[in-house]
Amino acid sequence: MTLEEKARVAERAARAAGEMLERHGTFQIRRKAENDFVTEMDVKSEVMIREILLSACPEDDFYGEEGGGSEAAAGRWIVDPIDGTANFMRGQRLYAISIAYEQDGELVIGCVYCPGTDELFSAVRGRGATLNGKPIHVSNVARLRDAIVQVGLGHRNPEILRQTEPVFFDLVHAVSDIRRSGSAAYDLCSVADGRADAFLEQGIFLFDYAAGVVILREAGGRVDAWRPGMDPIATGSIMASNGLLNETIIAILNK
Ligand code: IPD
């Protein structure tokens, strides 16, 4: 199966899960940690996505936020069945289904679906990125003072939160405005289609950012880590922008 064909399967799985999530009744919620939750719907969404992906692509491996799975493989799907669980469980409309495909260690397909806005972001490496089928591109905002910056604070990890706090205030003073969406997958897509100019968060997981990274890169953006020399994909330290702001923001993060 070609990568384009696999991308269509990912889109089908994301839309099917989104439809199911939008029709939910009451659901059970379990605490993974003090401020980290998983709902019954996260699990149902992952089961549904896994079933659709692996029945169409039985040759592939699977790794999901809720059920885990294969750590590395020739071909592996990386899935966050609800990115923005806290939003979803409180009825906020901004949550996403994130499906990436990794081939021989490289992220090559990204699909992020936001059921609350019916927006489907999709990309295959080397083929550009789309939103609901139409090509998208990052913004051309080059001055930090004009930039809208999506942020995550690493709120679940006290050490990361301590590192982020001072930087956060420096940043607020330097940019046009900041946003905190509650979904890293959405944040990356919002930079990809130019409604924001940069996104940064440390301590997030591969399933949160894998699909968004492919989409952002294919839309012309750039993903770095907070510290020079670090690999963003391996570490979950994400400093992403339209490609024009990375250096300026990295200087603030490391001053
Ligand atoms: C969370 C979201 C959020 C980020 C958290 C993630 P989840 O994903 O991406 O924006 O700040 O660190 O864990 O838990 O809702 O899948």
Side-chain angles (χ1 to χ4, degrees):
M1 188 182 275
T2 66
L3 290 180
E4 275 77 10
E5 286 165 339
K6 282 186 193 281
R8 299 298 85 78
V9 175
E11 290 168 10
R12 179 158 59 83
R15 280 196 184 278
E19 202 174 298
M20 189 258 299
L21 292 172
E22 287 290 288
R23 282 192 279 103
H24 72 76
T26 53
F27 50 80
Q28 290 185 337
I29 300 171
R30 183 169 58 77
R31 246 179 233 280
K32 290 196 222 173
E34 195 55 44
N35 59 355
D36 195 1
F37 301 90
V38 58
T39 74
E40 196 182 337
M41 302 311 290
D42 292 69
V43 178
K44 281 189 174 157
S45 175
E46 184 165 312
V47 168
M48 176 184 266
I49 293 167
R50 184 189 168 107
E51 163 66 24
I52 293 173
L53 295 176
L54 295 189
S55 56
C57 314
E59 68 280 13
D60 290 333
D61 281 296
F62 184 92
Y63 182 78
E65 174 174 15
E66 310 311 337
S70 163
E71 284 301 323
R76 173 172 79 138
W77 294 98
I78 300 164
V79 171
D80 188 339
I82 303 182
D83 185 56
T85 298
N87 285 353
F88 173 77
M89 64 188 235
R90 301 296 299 272
Q92 295 205 28
R93 304 300 292 139
L94 219 170
Y95 69 94
I97 293 149
S98 175
I99 303 178
Y101 184 69
E102 183 190 61
Q103 192 173 51
D104 300 322
E106 298 288 327
L107 295 170
V108 292
I109 292 173
C111 171
V112 171
Y113 181 50
C114 303
T117 53
D118 192 25
E119 291 182 304
L120 188 130
F121 298 87
S122 185
V124 174
R125 193 168 70 173
R127 304 288 156 89
T130 57
L131 164 56
N132 290 345
K134 298 203 175 92
I136 53 171
H137 204 269
V138 293
S139 73
N140 58 9
V141 171
R143 214 169 70 105
L144 192 55
R145 203 74 186 110
D146 299 328
I148 298 281
V149 179
Q150 309 282 129
V151 295
L153 302 172
H155 63 292
R156 296 200 184 112
N157 180 325
E159 181 49 36
I160 288 178
L161 181 55
R162 257 192 297 281
Q163 284 172 26
T164 307
E165 273 168 352
V167 172
F168 177 77
F169 287 106
D170 288 345
L171 204 70
V172 179
H173 283 283
V175 301
S176 172
D177 203 353
I178 55 115
R179 298 283 181 271
R180 163 70 179 144
S181 79
S183 163
Y186 171 80
D187 289 326
L188 286 158
C189 292
S190 65
V191 181
D193 92 330
R195 66 186 74 169
D197 309 300
F199 162 61
L200 47 126
E201 182 163 10
Q202 291 194 96
I204 49 177
F205 297 97
L206 186 59
F207 41 74
D208 296 316
Y209 54 82
V213 160
V214 180
I215 293 162
L216 177 62
R217 285 176 171 160
E218 286 303 314
R222 192 175 118 197
V223 181
D224 290 313
W226 283 38
R227 312 274 173 241
M230 265 170 70
D231 175 358
I233 308 305
T235 58
S237 165
I238 305 289
M239 197 286 103
S241 96
N242 57 10
L244 303 171
L245 297 165
N246 295 57
E247 265 113 44
T248 319
I249 295 178
I250 287 171
I252 293 178
L253 301 180
N254 292 282
K255 87 176 190 213

